[in-house]
Amino acid sequence: MAEAPPSCCFVAFPPRAKDGLVLFGKNSARPRDEVQEVVYFSAADHAAESRVECTYISVDQVPRTHAVVISRPAWLWGAEMGANEHGVCIANEAINAREPAAQTEALLGMDLVRLGLERGATAKEALDAIVALLAEHGQGGNYYEDASACHSFQSSYLIVDRQEAWVLETVGKYWAAERFTEGVRCVCSRLSVTTNIDAEHPELRSYARSQGWWAAGDEFNFSEIFSPADGHLDCCAGGESLARRGGDITIQTMIDILRDKASGVCIDSESFLTTASVVSVLPQNHSSPCIHYFTGTPDPSRSIFKPFIFVDDVKLVSKTQSPRFGEDDPAKKEPRFLEKPDRRHELYRAHEWARTVLASDQEQGHALRKTMLELEKQGLEAMEEILASSDPPDPAEVGDLFYDCVDTEIKFFK
């Protein structure tokens, strides 16, 4: 069984998070050479009986999909993490479980992230959409762009809106979910739902009993029952970092935790790298906009978090989008992945130079890091002003926000 990549995502609710903000964060640990892109899709109406092509299979489309912004491995359809226009955020974690994941191509956990965002106006609606699709189509297929082996995993999800969060953990078509509205919570590559189960697959317990994993009358602890024998371990470092904080968790706190390599939250190993990161700010006051900060580049300790706000006329950012290969894409042809095309987008290419300079630990690297952090600070301060204002942001100004930040970053690197 392949070992799940050591990603993590977490959420903090008021009063642990300051200023009435729900804070959501995610580091995506993926194969080192994989490119992630940040892509916006506007809300759309769809014809009756139309289908949507996901990574490996197609599913029935719904009459209307919400606007979404996602960070995704450039070769697939779905998303590692993202948000929609209604303030719903979802992150996916690949997990190992007692039952091996199917290698048969079906929906990937990452497909279900995007489908949940496109179909759910609340966290609970997104959860319901995901489990319905899971029941109909199942999950399975290669999580990596790799022709040499099929790396398949079960999936867990952190689904958050302005009022509540759900941890949804799946094993095949079976699942359990826990709801919470306070404190902090981390989700990583291990099952974490235990006995506090607020929703579950109707046949979950009978299936566990049929496998000899649980006896009726015993306490039903989902993670203990469905974790592999050697895999029921405590995690994660991000949750521990948040737990040590009092009631002063801020946007900067989340960014700092995502950048922490010493704790293991920021992965930089021989096999895996944090290839993209996000922090989302969800004000519980609905008059304030949600703000989503994406890196679009690897290693958050050497990247700039750039803000995005949903408005009706968002300016598309081609510089964070990878090249398209159409039906000639090796990810779409069978047998898959026989070639690996260059998927680097313009921001990724510019950032490669910055990573090299920063890794040198010379005077130029220190000066570059200082300037990058100053650029990021300017963006954070501008967003704090928007959150503190009683007036809604000007759509004409924030529609170009992410575009302008990416453009400035690229020009600076050049």
Side-chain angles (χ1 to χ4, degrees), residues 340-403:
K340 237 180 177 180
D342 186 351
R343 301 188 187 275
R344 293 175 298 169
H345 47 73
E346 188 174 346
L347 176 61
Y348 188 99
R349 290 175 180 273
H351 184 258
E352 285 181 312
W353 169 82
R355 287 170 61 197
T356 301
V357 173
L358 290 166
S360 68
D361 200 32
Q362 301 297 318
E363 183 177 346
Q364 184 185 14
H366 292 300
L368 176 60
R369 177 171 173 76
K370 181 178 179 181
T371 305
M372 290 173 68
L373 291 176
E374 182 58 34
L375 286 173
E376 182 180 272
K377 181 182 177 183
Q378 292 173 13
L380 289 169
E381 289 176 347
M383 296 305 100
E384 287 175 1
E385 291 180 7
I386 287 177
L387 290 172
S389 174
S390 58
D391 298 322
D394 182 351
E397 292 184 5
V398 300
D400 296 350
L401 180 62
F402 189 69
Y403 179 96

Side-chain angles (χ1 to χ4, degrees), residues 292-368:
H292 312 282
Y293 298 85
F294 290 90
T295 60
T297 52
D299 190 347
S301 70
R302 297 169 180 166
S303 292
I304 299 174
F305 284 81
K306 299 166 282 292
F308 175 97
I309 296 176
F310 283 94
V311 291
D312 288 339
D313 190 17
V314 170
K315 188 171 184 177
L316 300 180
V317 185
S318 61
K319 295 174 182 179
T320 63
Q321 296 180 26
S322 296
R324 294 289 177 261
F325 303 96
E327 293 306 313
D328 292 328
D329 194 319
K332 294 185 177 180
K333 297 191 295 186
E334 296 188 53
R336 302 192 195 276
F337 312 129
L338 294 183
E339 299 175 31
K340 237 180 177 180
D342 186 351
R343 301 188 187 275
R344 293 175 298 169
H345 47 73
E346 188 174 346
L347 176 61
Y348 188 99
R349 290 175 180 273
H351 184 258
E352 285 181 312
W353 169 82
R355 287 170 61 197
T356 301
V357 173
L358 290 166
S360 68
D361 200 32
Q362 301 297 318
E363 183 177 346
Q364 184 185 14
H366 292 300
L368 176 60

Side-chain angles (χ1 to χ4, degrees), residues 33-255:
D33 62 346
E34 186 175 80
V35 177
Q36 282 206 34
E37 58 179 356
V38 179
V39 191
Y40 167 80
F41 296 96
S42 59
D45 295 315
H46 304 281
E49 299 183 6
S50 60
R51 306 274 292 177
V52 55
E53 291 286 340
C54 301
T55 302
Y56 297 129
I57 66 169
S58 66
V59 302
D60 289 336
Q61 186 57 282
V62 291
R64 183 170 177 81
T65 50
H66 307 308
V68 300
V69 59
I70 57 175
S71 183
R72 67 179 182 184
W75 61 270
L76 55 76
W77 179 86
E80 270 281 283
M81 56 238 188
N84 72 19
E85 61 184 306
H86 300 290
V88 178
C89 298
I90 308 179
N92 164 256
E93 301 295 343
I95 55 173
N96 293 118
R98 191 169 192 167
E99 183 172 288
Q103 296 189 6
T104 304
E105 291 184 349
L107 290 173
L108 290 175
M110 292 170 283
D111 292 333
L112 289 163
V113 170
R114 180 172 168 183
L115 289 163
L117 289 170
E118 290 184 340
R119 300 177 182 206
T122 66
K124 184 58 165 59
E125 282 186 10
L127 183 149
D128 291 341
I130 289 171
V131 298
L133 288 159
L134 187 64
E136 184 175 357
H137 300 286
Q139 59 181 320
N142 204 340
Y143 263 59
Y144 301 154
E145 190 181 14
D146 184 1
S148 65
C150 182
H151 309 269
S152 58
F153 303 101
Q154 310 289 7
S155 297
S156 64
Y157 307 85
L158 179 60
I159 310 171
V160 182
D161 63 24
R162 296 176 188 253
Q163 305 301 327
E164 66 178 9
W166 288 82
V167 174
L168 168 64
E169 297 185 334
T170 67
V171 179
K173 69 175 183 179
Y174 301 99
W175 56 273
E178 180 181 356
R179 176 183 179 268
F180 52 100
T181 59
E182 59 184 18
V184 298
R185 181 65 178 265
C186 177
V187 176
C188 62
S189 54
R190 311 283 184 182
L191 293 172
S192 65
V193 174
T194 57
T195 58
N196 296 322
I197 300 174
D198 294 297
E200 63 186 74
H201 188 284
E203 299 172 2
L204 175 68
R205 301 186 188 222
S206 61
Y207 178 72
R209 188 167 59 246
S210 72
Q211 299 299 306
W213 300 339
W214 175 69
D218 290 350
E219 181 179 61
F220 191 87
N221 184 313
F222 180 79
S223 65
E224 286 188 355
I225 293 167
F226 285 92
S227 291
D230 59 350
H232 185 59
L233 302 174
D234 291 333
C235 70
C236 69
E240 293 170 0
S241 297
L242 285 175
R244 286 195 294 269
R245 293 278 182 162
D248 63 346
I249 298 170
T250 64
I251 303 167
Q252 190 63 57
T253 305
M254 300 294 264
I255 291 174

